Amino acid sequence: MNERAVSPQVVREHGLDEREYDLILDIMGRRPNLLELGIFSVMWSEHCSYKSSKKWLKTLPTSGPHVIRGPGENAGVIDIGEGLAAIFKMESHNHPSFIEPYQGAATGVGGILRDVFTMGARPIANLNALRFGEPDNPKTRHLLSGVVAGIGGYGNCVGVPTVGGEVNFDASYNGNILVNAMTVGVASADRIFYSAAAGAGNPVVYAGSKTGRDGIHGATMASAEFDDNSAEKRPTVQVGDPFTEKLLIEACLELMATDAIVGIQDMGAAGLTSSSFEMASKGGSGVELELDKVPCREDGMTPYEMMLSESQERMLMVLKPGKEDQARAIFEKWDLDFAVVGHLTDSGRMVLKMNGEVVGDLPIDPLAEASPEYDRPWTQSPALPELPASAVEAPPDTGAVLIKLMASPDLCSKRWVWEQYDHMVMADTLVRPGGDAAVVRVHGTNRALAMSSDCTPRYCKADPRRGGTQAVAESWRNLTASGAKPLAITDNMNFGNPERPEIMGQFVGCIEGMREACTLLDYPVVSGNVSLYNETNGQAILPTPVIGGVGLIENLKMTATPAFKNADEEILLIGETLGHLGVSLYLREAGWSGEAAPPPVDLRAERRNGDFVRGLIQEGLVSACHDVSDGGLAVALAEMALAGDIGCRIEAPDRLNPPLHAWLFGEDQARYVVSLANAGSVVAAAAAAGVPACRIGKTGGDLLTLPGGEPISLCELRQAHENWLPNYMGVAS
């Protein structure tokens, strides 16, 4: 078979450096052919091997009383009681989405869905975390439109509700947007399926869509930074078919109800290569594949193309002997391709054949387990000064500042985005997008899962450790504000080039902060994804460690939302307010250009305050609850008023310590706003628990009145809040 010779240039084209190629020669004991080189390339890519990050990922807490399975499988698994498990994960599709936004985002959704149902779960919810460049950038509008359409186009068609997420804008993402997709599913706790495949002679089965030439070297492309020629990488972007994915979900779940499956793995990054190697390595087996039996949709596909294709909607399974016909009948009933493409061996090797001829022969464990692990040099980000609130000038009208913040790209309503998603399909969505956390009923029960995605990248840039801590703490707060007990997280670590010590230092700092927060909050990491080299021409994105949190609500009647429910209720601010304005949106919108530290995170206060607030919700004592984050107290109050269409009048405490504008717009952590009929007993209980709590106003009317500002009509506030994004996209009515 004619193929390119493996030259130094070909090795570089495959993203391998000289040291890595020398290691390949040692493992193989000979020069690899092009197919074998391509397999090493994708398996050792940053995207698949985590070679720059796994040293630090190992330091995160991954176990706990609710954890059934932590990192290392397709998704994390936690026990949610009553014989059920929640299975969830978040993954990035950043590079493909920048090159081809619709298909990049769509296949990101498809891929994360497969990670979850591969383990036996029925997906019940999708979320996403999106970061785009500054609005004035000429590409931003096109990328935003395409990504949102891709997420909606895939999720809506496959029939899984998209219930939450975040959308932010910053110039650092001009050349490299972030598209992080998360899926949550539910399975029987005693019917979890894993990828390890053992048993010499057991058949290896391919099911789903046919293999094409789309997505070849997608994993390698996702492991390199962009330059001015990035558009030329469009052929590496996969093409998705959500209707086939829906059939694949049903077929896999039907087969999983039998006893036919030994191991199962979806074909994600690196396609047939990664799925076959991972299954065999985890099971301590060898594999022999007959590539001429792989269903292909294009003529003349080479072994190299088959093994490296990332065509979507495909699964690889190892079955018990004699179960092939049973499985075939199920997949053919669902109009999906099915083929026995090989068998397990006890050789510990991957032997690839085409028309009876051996075209590749590689050792499995050295390739799958002995990928390079780098301890990259890193430098700690310089400490920035704390910013005294008194150093920031007070505005003449706090109400005008609030309107400006509520109409800013980061804080404006994202209704234009989430109304393109079907968030009610399956009829179990209880709390829709737009609040602290989405809430989805565990079907057929009186219980629910709360879920959210959170990160404040500007904090992570200013102080990676504080930023990593805050991302976990905010996720914990958002679940708590819904009434849920936070159980575990998945993470999506989005950073620039790890070969630059300052970027690696950001990664290390964020991990250290996350580790501390996860430990003190009993909030372990059960799955995740690392996306590095997110930069173009040397310009890196803001460090963006997105946290996807999942919590449990035991009684649906004890769920809180941010919306004010009734007039004449008292409003309490829970948590200490020092007026921290460093790295705040208030400063950014005011055009302040200095550098300062982000707010500190007191994790013991987070735990104490959050447990207290959750207790109030579970006792039915509050009618509304909202955590305080971007934009501070004033923005939290505005969001609660708009959500409930009920105004409020706010008064500052008599002995106000920070200046008024810092009290209103400071972004101190560990804080919540609640409304309730009678605050006296709650204030007393808070004092007994050592939790700061003070009355700050009452609900009612159609105005929002802040101290130091003119009253704002909710109508005016709503127009400012709702109109920015539709106007920007040119779709305002």
Side-chain angles (χ1 to χ4, degrees), residues 176-509:
N176 198 126
I177 64 173
L178 300 185
V179 175
N180 296 170
M182 176 177 171
T183 292
V184 181
V186 173
S188 295
D190 60 353
R191 295 289 291 171
I192 309 300
F193 288 81
Y194 299 105
S195 56
N202 283 349
V204 177
V205 168
Y206 173 117
S209 289
K210 288 181 169 62
T211 295
R213 291 188 170 97
D214 53 319
I216 294 174
H217 271 301
T220 307
M221 179 268 290
S223 306
E225 63 181 87
F226 281 162
D227 55 29
D228 293 332
N229 300 316
S230 296
E232 296 175 4
K233 298 178 180 178
R234 185 169 282 109
T236 63
V237 179
Q238 309 94 325
V239 177
D241 180 351
F243 299 104
T244 298
E245 182 102 334
K246 173 61 174 172
L247 300 178
L248 191 60
I249 292 172
E250 301 304 330
C252 287
L253 293 179
E254 183 174 340
L255 183 61
M256 287 169 172
T258 73
D259 65 347
I261 297 175
V262 175
I264 182 169
Q265 175 78 38
D266 77 301
M267 295 192 219
L272 188 53
T273 289
S274 64
S275 57
S276 57
F277 270 88
E278 288 172 12
M279 292 178 75
S281 179
K282 290 176 181 176
S285 300
V287 181
E288 185 174 304
L289 295 181
E290 300 176 64
L291 298 180
D292 47 302
K293 295 184 178 179
V294 172
C296 294
R297 67 169 180 260
E298 299 181 48
D299 294 334
M301 288 192 67
T302 66
Y304 181 98
E305 293 170 329
M306 291 181 198
M307 290 299 293
L308 272 61
S309 168
E310 294 184 10
S311 294
Q312 299 291 285
E313 294 87 40
R314 301 181 300 159
M315 308 292 284
L316 197 67
M317 294 174 282
V318 173
L319 303 180
K320 295 179 180 177
K323 298 293 185 178
E324 298 93 326
D325 289 343
Q326 180 184 18
R328 184 189 305 276
I330 290 173
F331 280 91
E332 289 183 350
K333 181 187 79 171
W334 290 100
D335 200 25
L336 296 165
D337 278 282
F338 180 94
V340 178
V341 296
H343 62 274
L344 296 185
T345 70
D346 57 7
S347 69
R349 300 189 69 83
M350 172 71 69
V351 178
L352 305 173
K353 294 183 175 180
M354 187 77 171
N355 299 321
E357 175 187 350
V358 175
V359 294
D361 187 346
L362 307 98
I364 288 175
D365 280 349
L367 194 153
E369 295 181 355
S371 62
E373 179 175 335
Y374 296 136
D375 186 3
R376 302 273 191 198
W378 61 277
T379 56
Q380 186 170 340
S381 298
L384 298 178
E386 303 292 341
L387 178 68
S390 58
V392 180
E393 185 179 356
D397 184 348
T398 57
V401 173
L402 176 61
I403 291 177
K404 184 177 181 182
L405 281 169
M406 293 294 285
S408 67
D410 279 351
L411 289 180
C412 73
S413 169
K414 304 307 187 297
R415 183 184 304 275
W416 177 86
V417 173
W418 56 258
E419 283 192 340
Q420 297 185 54
Y421 306 150
D422 189 340
H423 45 272
M424 297 304 294
V425 65
M426 300 176 75
D428 280 320
T429 304
L430 302 176
V431 177
R432 307 181 186 193
D436 288 319
V439 178
V440 179
R441 179 191 291 110
V442 178
H443 192 73
T445 75
N446 192 43
R447 304 157 79 239
L449 293 176
M451 54 202 77
S452 71
S453 67
D454 296 282
C455 185
T456 310
R458 65 184 187 278
Y459 290 178
C460 298
K461 179 67 162 62
D463 185 326
R465 183 165 188 149
R466 278 192 191 180
T469 304
Q470 190 272 342
V472 174
E474 185 175 354
S475 168
W476 196 85
R477 278 201 309 274
N478 278 329
L479 299 181
T480 293
S482 73
K485 178 183 179 181
L487 298 182
I489 69 169
T490 182
D491 58 46
N492 206 143
M493 308 293 290
N494 306 275
F495 291 79
N497 185 342
E499 298 169 47
R500 295 166 55 194
E502 67 274 20
I503 300 296
M504 197 66 213
Q506 293 174 352
F507 184 89
V508 172

